[in-house]
Amino acid sequence: MAAALRATSSAISRAVTARTPPLMGGARWSSSSTWWGHVDPAPKDPILGVTEAFLADPSPNKVNVGVGAYRDDDGKPVVLNCVREAEARIAGNLNMEYLPMGGSNHMVEETLKLAYGEDSEFIKDKRIAAVQALSGTGACRLFADFQKRYQPESEIYIPVPTWANHHNIWRDANVSQKTYHYYHPESKGLDFSGMMDDIKNAPKGSFFLLHACAHNPTGVDPTEEEWKEISQLIKDKGHFPFFDMAYQGFASGDPEKDAKAIRIFLQDGHLLGISQSFAKNMGLYGQRVGCLSVLCEDDKQAVAVKTRLQQIARPMYSNPPVHGALLVSIILSDPDLKNMWLKEVKVMADRIIGMRTALRENIEKLGSPLSWEHITKQIGMFCYSGLAPEQVDRLTSQFHIYLTRNGRISMAGVTTKNVEYLANAIHEVSKS
Ligand code: IK2
């Protein structure tokens, strides 16, 4: 028995040694080296680093329009009333058991209705492989890993610009990346012809990452007509559309309207993937609730894909967290709570739309000769101001206003109290 155990343990040890990679940078361990001496500090995250700098600034005038997290008109984080109500309902009634690897089936079922439509034939026909994910980031990452595993030669086409983390996600999943034209700096709108050319010229069967609504960072979305043309061309070229929908409800105030692009693609008969997040539209940022879905050819394929998604999740985090998923499933399945949620989403979207008008009017009132029309034309949480990195630096050093260096202003951080100050600072740095 002891000999058998010894043999097993040395076999395990040999197997582990064989899998252990050499140390980074070509260095191998020696008695004089340290384990982590070759590790350099990572560069600051371009978005989260802004919040760190804001927090460290003692100025009483400081303004944070960096991170895309909703604030009320007093600049305070918001917990929605529907969420408070759902929390009250579950208080004391819960055990803390693990969810299955694919998360809460109830939450996933309700979430799919938001993206695919309440009466979607694809839901009825069980053609959608879907799992709960660690918010939108986790859904994108799970998909990227799935793509690498089952379409290992494929590339992902990412818009320029995009949410900076998209690049990290597909890079870490080892999927090679290409870009497509999206934003037109002169018009501060969509570069539709550039985008169409890139879709046309991409090798057949490429993957395209599309922002379903409220594009981050530009706030520029294609019109319905443009989406129809994009969908048709992606279909003709045999590409795979993957929608990142982190802001459903935040563009128009109505989650149904904001799903328009996806519905057009569904009508056109695409097979597609969708990442959904409840960070913004339900204010569940830190709860990390989201969903990854892949529309398949039939129910059998959907089962296979779902089990593979679960298999990818298992060694990373086993199963997703339960609390936020419960809140989402309670809110979406109770008609009163759902109505309350829809109203609250609209309040958030409308406050942002109101702040766009106020910011533009305040800058124009100061006599700026530049055009600021794009502030009110763009939609969603962000305004892509067109300010250059040096102008952003001045906003921060002179006025204690914090934003990403690409000139993106999170409109969620603009309030009736700071809008005049912000407008004045933007006018000052854009004058010369
Ligand atoms: N996809 C997009 C396009 C996003 O904008 C986000 C959230 N970004 O918010 C931070 C910021 O840009 O200031 C996500 C996905 C992922 O969000 P989450 O993982 O929180 O659901």
Side-chain angles (χ1 to χ4, degrees):
M1 177 69 174
L5 270 179
R6 263 198 311 279
T8 312
S9 111
S10 70
I12 291 171
S13 159
R14 272 199 307 280
V16 169
T17 313
R19 280 202 309 268
T20 305
L23 292 176
M24 297 285 290
R28 285 202 163 268
W29 187 87
S30 78
S31 57
S32 61
S33 65
T34 63
W35 283 105
W36 314 118
H38 59 294
V39 180
D40 295 331
K44 278 203 185 308
D45 183 272
I47 297 171
L48 301 182
V50 173
T51 304
E52 283 171 30
F54 168 80
L55 292 173
D57 185 342
S59 166
N61 299 326
K62 64 182 178 177
V63 174
N64 188 3
V65 283
V67 71
Y70 184 78
R71 299 288 178 258
D72 66 13
D73 201 41
D74 291 321
K76 299 269 179 335
V78 173
V79 179
L80 300 187
N81 290 323
C82 60
V83 170
R84 293 251 187 251
E85 176 60 31
E87 287 207 298
R89 291 192 194 178
I90 57 178
N93 287 329
L94 278 186
N95 61 46
M96 299 286 164
E97 290 297 291
Y98 291 130
L99 284 174
M101 282 182 284
S104 156
N105 287 329
H106 188 193
M107 189 283 276
V108 167
E109 275 164 26
E110 292 299 333
T111 304
L112 292 182
K113 288 185 206 162
L114 291 179
Y116 292 81
E118 188 76 30
D119 301 313
S120 162
E121 61 187 287
F122 306 114
I123 298 178
K124 281 191 200 112
D125 295 344
K126 300 189 187 312
R127 280 181 54 191
I128 307 170
V131 293
Q132 183 183 331
L134 300 181
S135 215
T137 308
C140 288
R141 179 58 199 269
L142 208 51
F143 181 78
D145 280 339
F146 178 74
Q147 179 187 344
K148 182 66 192 175
R149 209 172 273 201
Y150 294 100
Q151 290 291 339
E153 303 306 324
S154 67
E155 292 169 327
I156 183 91
Y157 279 73
I158 292 181
V160 180
T162 194
W163 178 48
N165 212 20
H166 281 146
H167 294 290
N168 305 332
I169 289 170
W170 269 270
R171 179 202 62 213
D172 278 10
N174 293 313
V175 175
S176 65
Q177 297 178 34
K178 291 270 169 61
T179 54
Y180 66 87
H181 286 86
Y182 189 83
Y183 179 73
H184 195 265
E186 274 87 65
S187 69
K188 298 192 174 65
L190 183 69
D191 181 356
F192 183 63
S193 62
M195 180 176 180
M196 293 295 273
D197 281 348
D198 289 340
I199 296 172
K200 210 180 300 162
N201 295 329
K204 195 171 160 36
S206 298
F207 284 66
F208 271 78
L209 170 67
L210 303 160
H211 293 229
C213 61
H215 183 274
N216 179 6
T218 66
V220 172
D221 285 350
T223 62
E224 199 174 320
E225 279 317 305
E226 285 167 338
W227 273 125
K228 284 182 183 159
E229 287 186 47
I230 293 165
S231 168
Q232 202 49 58
L233 187 57
I234 287 186
K235 186 93 192 294
D236 293 346
K237 291 289 300 184
H239 299 323
F240 186 93
F242 180 75
F243 282 96
D244 182 357
M245 183 152 62
Y247 298 93
Q248 189 175 8
F250 256 95
S252 67
D254 177 358
E256 196 54 25
K257 277 195 194 145
D258 288 358
K260 190 72 205 168
I262 288 177
R263 304 291 170 74
I264 289 170
F265 275 64
L266 291 174
Q267 238 165 29
D268 286 349
H270 287 273
L271 297 178
L272 47 73
I274 307 177
S275 156
Q276 289 172 263
S277 164
F278 290 103
K280 322 276 171 169
N281 60 11
M282 236 178 242
L284 295 175
Y285 302 91
Q287 293 290 349
R288 315 307 294 145
V289 205
C291 178
L292 168 65
S293 60
V294 180
L295 176 60
C296 299
E297 278 151 34
D298 55 36
D299 56 341
K300 202 164 146 242
Q301 192 178 82
V303 170
V305 170
K306 179 172 176 175
T307 57
R308 292 302 185 177
L309 292 174
Q310 291 175 164
Q311 189 189 37
I312 295 170
R314 174 68 167 145
M316 289 202 282
Y317 54 85
S318 269
N319 39 65
V322 66
H323 186 79
L326 252 174
L327 298 177
V328 170
S329 47
I330 290 172
I331 292 167
L332 294 183
S333 59
D334 179 301
D336 291 340
L337 285 185
K338 187 166 175 193
N339 257 332
M340 197 189 272
W341 172 60
L342 290 172
K343 283 188 188 135
E344 295 190 281
V345 175
K346 182 144 173 47
V347 167
M348 292 193 284
D350 285 350
R351 194 188 85 71
I352 288 177
I353 291 166
M355 283 303 113
R356 286 184 182 279
T357 309
L359 182 61
R360 179 180 165 186
E361 281 176 0
N362 272 286
I363 303 176
E364 286 171 349
K365 220 165 57 190
L366 292 164
S368 173
L370 305 169
S371 165
W372 297 97
E373 196 192 358
H374 57 285
I375 299 181
T376 46
K377 264 179 116 179
Q378 296 169 355
I379 50 171
M381 221 177 226
F382 303 108
C383 162
Y384 209 47
S385 65
L387 293 172
E390 303 70 40
Q391 294 172 319
V392 171
D393 292 343
R394 273 187 67 199
L395 280 181
T396 306
S397 59
Q398 252 178 279
F399 297 95
H400 306 272
I401 293 168
Y402 289 82
L403 64 159
T404 49
R405 284 194 89 228
N406 60 4
R408 186 191 81 166
I409 296 170
S410 172
M411 292 306 300
V414 184
T415 67
T416 45
K417 289 176 203 78
N418 67 25
V419 68
E420 227 178 298
Y421 179 73
L422 179 63
N424 179 58
I426 290 175
H427 178 53
E428 285 301 319
V429 303
S430 60
K431 268 202 289 207
S432 48

